[in-house]
Amino acid sequence: MENHQDIAGVLLRYHRFLIVTHQMPDGDGIGSMLGLGLALQKKKRQVIMTCPGGLPENLRFMPGSDQTVHPDEVPSDGYDVVVALDSSDLGRIEGIYEKIPNDVPIVNIDHHMTNKGYGTYNYVDSASAATGEQVYKILVAMDVRVDSSIAICLFTAIATDTGFFRFSNTTPTTLRIAARLVEKGAEPGDISEQVYEARPLESLKMLGRALDTLQVDKSGKVAWMEIYRDWLSELSLDEGQAEGFVNYARMIKGVEVALIFRESSDGRIRVGMRSKGNFDVAALAQALGGGGHARAAGCSLESQSMTEAKELVFGKVYEIMGLAGD
Ligand code: AMP
Ligand code: MN
Ligand code: MN
């Protein structure tokens, strides 16, 4: 297992980079990718940046996002090293990793405790609130001068994965790094507005429908909501527009586990999971083939109906809780 200094040394050995982050990307994935990409360009390196599914609209304000390419345009050669960010296993970069030649090393930089250690080099640190924190440490070790563009990307990465410094993963180190990034030109108010207050009207209409499905089980400890594929087409929205909805389920008093079940366009059911007590949703997600953190995790279930998916997930939840369920 490598640390940020080792990884800085490894990265500086190479000249042509392919940088990728996970599917259905969030602020941490995209912010880390762009922050590292822009920094490597300052070091005169060639950089290709991509993620499966492309960038959500509300993250395109970040500098460098216009340089990202669609996964279909990623060549199967022309880079000496691949850097995978915020991705706990190779399934998260499905559609891209298949193209990577066997002799090209992979540098795995991530903070999920469920990370599979799939890289040639692995810098996995579950004490980091965001992959953006790890990237910041690497940049300092590489002696890169962090400019305002890089600062905006890394601040967005860290702020989004910590719910703007409200979640329990926020540490003194998180806040120190964030403070440095603000000194370098990241503006928290502006970034918060870009990420959270630029939704289309239809996205809030969908939230209304999702809130209508919100329920709590008999124990009062498990709350869930549902999102149906038809809604996305009716409202002309993509799946990314449901980002953050699961947090409403966690707001209910007494709830320890919050779940969202989303019918995806690829026929899978994506399950988002959040915890407010001691319940470890990373363990729940892992038992279902997914991954994540103790308080925020997820999985993707193949060929299941909504009813089957709920049965499967609730069965596991009650097994872990030691409750009999219904
Ligand atoms: P989300 O609910 O999509 O915001 O994801 C919450 C956390 O779970 C993030 O850290 C994700 O990286 C992780 N996660 C979500 N879905 C999956 C999956 N299918 N496989 C592995 N990790 C996942
Ligand atoms: Mn992520
Ligand atoms: Mn992350």
Side-chain angles (χ1 to χ4, degrees):
M1 176 75 75
E2 280 74 27
N3 62 29
H4 61 278
Q5 276 143 342
D6 303 329
I7 294 296
V10 169
L11 294 180
L12 287 174
R13 277 196 249 141
Y14 296 98
H15 287 272
R16 298 174 307 164
F17 291 78
L18 173 64
I19 310 182
V20 301
T21 189
H22 60 83
Q23 52 187 214
M24 302 278 297
D26 49 21
D28 188 28
I30 300 291
S32 297
M33 176 178 80
L34 297 174
L36 179 63
L38 293 175
L40 287 167
Q41 286 175 345
K42 286 177 75 121
K43 288 271 175 195
K44 306 275 181 272
R45 298 321 200 254
Q46 269 180 42
V47 173
I48 304 172
M49 296 183 279
T50 191
C51 68
L55 268 67
E57 195 62 43
N58 69 327
L59 297 177
R60 293 201 186 149
F61 72 92
M62 278 186 269
S65 50
D66 53 349
Q67 292 184 42
T68 57
V69 301
H70 191 274
D72 295 346
E73 294 166 36
V74 172
S76 53
D77 58 8
Y79 38 86
D80 318 314
V81 64
V82 175
V83 185
L85 295 161
D86 198 38
S87 305
S88 52
D89 60 73
L90 290 171
R92 301 288 283 155
I93 53 168
E94 163 180 71
I96 295 168
Y97 87 85
E98 295 87 342
K99 294 189 183 184
I100 303 170
N102 283 333
D103 57 345
V104 172
I106 298 180
V107 180
N108 166 18
I109 303 171
D110 184 32
H111 66 131
H112 291 90
M113 61 180 171
T114 55
N115 190 286
K116 300 264 186 357
Y118 54 83
T120 319
Y121 304 96
N122 297 286
Y123 168 31
V124 178
D125 177 19
S126 60
S128 288
T131 302
E133 262 186 51
Q134 298 172 272
V135 171
Y136 178 81
K137 289 181 185 169
I138 295 168
L139 299 197
V140 171
M142 285 194 332
D143 216 12
V144 172
R145 207 179 58 79
V146 172
D147 60 19
S148 64
S149 296
I150 298 172
I152 290 167
C153 298
L154 296 184
F155 185 91
T156 305
I158 297 168
T160 51
D161 257 24
T162 57
F164 260 81
F165 314 104
R166 287 177 300 128
F167 300 157
S168 58
N169 55 354
T170 307
T171 66
T173 304
T174 313
L175 294 167
R176 280 190 199 103
I177 294 176
R180 290 294 291 153
L181 295 171
V182 173
E183 281 167 353
K184 299 286 181 191
E187 291 182 22
D190 180 49
I191 291 172
S192 158
E193 209 174 294
Q194 299 270 11
V195 177
Y196 300 114
E197 292 169 0
R199 289 188 189 250
L201 171 65
E202 290 73 18
S203 159
L204 294 172
K205 298 283 182 197
M206 183 164 71
L207 173 62
R209 293 188 191 191
L211 288 173
D212 255 348
T213 73
L214 180 57
Q215 293 178 66
V216 179
D217 76 339
K218 276 198 234 155
S219 73
K221 293 182 180 170
V222 187
W224 74 97
M225 50 210 298
E226 294 157 29
I227 303 237
Y228 290 89
R229 192 170 30 215
D230 294 352
W231 300 355
L232 299 173
S233 45
E234 276 170 42
L235 298 167
S236 309
L237 290 171
D238 60 50
E239 283 176 56
Q241 290 294 341
E243 170 84 26
F245 286 9
V246 65
N247 292 315
Y248 287 91
R250 192 167 65 171
M251 287 178 185
I252 302 164
K253 192 171 179 184
V255 162
E256 292 178 13
V257 185
L259 303 168
I260 189 163
F261 294 86
R262 294 189 280 177
E263 268 186 348
S264 179
S265 50
D266 59 12
R268 297 179 193 167
I269 305 270
R270 290 182 198 276
V271 190
M273 308 164 178
R274 298 290 184 272
S275 153
K276 199 167 56 176
N278 294 324
F279 191 96
D280 181 357
V281 284
L284 172 65
Q286 208 162 23
L288 295 161
H293 311 283
R295 287 174 167 233
C299 69
S300 180
L301 303 171
E302 302 271 354
S303 32
Q304 303 264 347
S305 69
M306 199 60 123
T307 316
E308 285 166 337
K310 282 194 290 189
E311 262 172 33
L312 179 69
V313 176
F314 276 88
K316 278 276 174 249
V317 170
Y318 293 131
E319 199 182 301
I320 294 173
M321 275 187 168
L323 292 175
D326 286 328

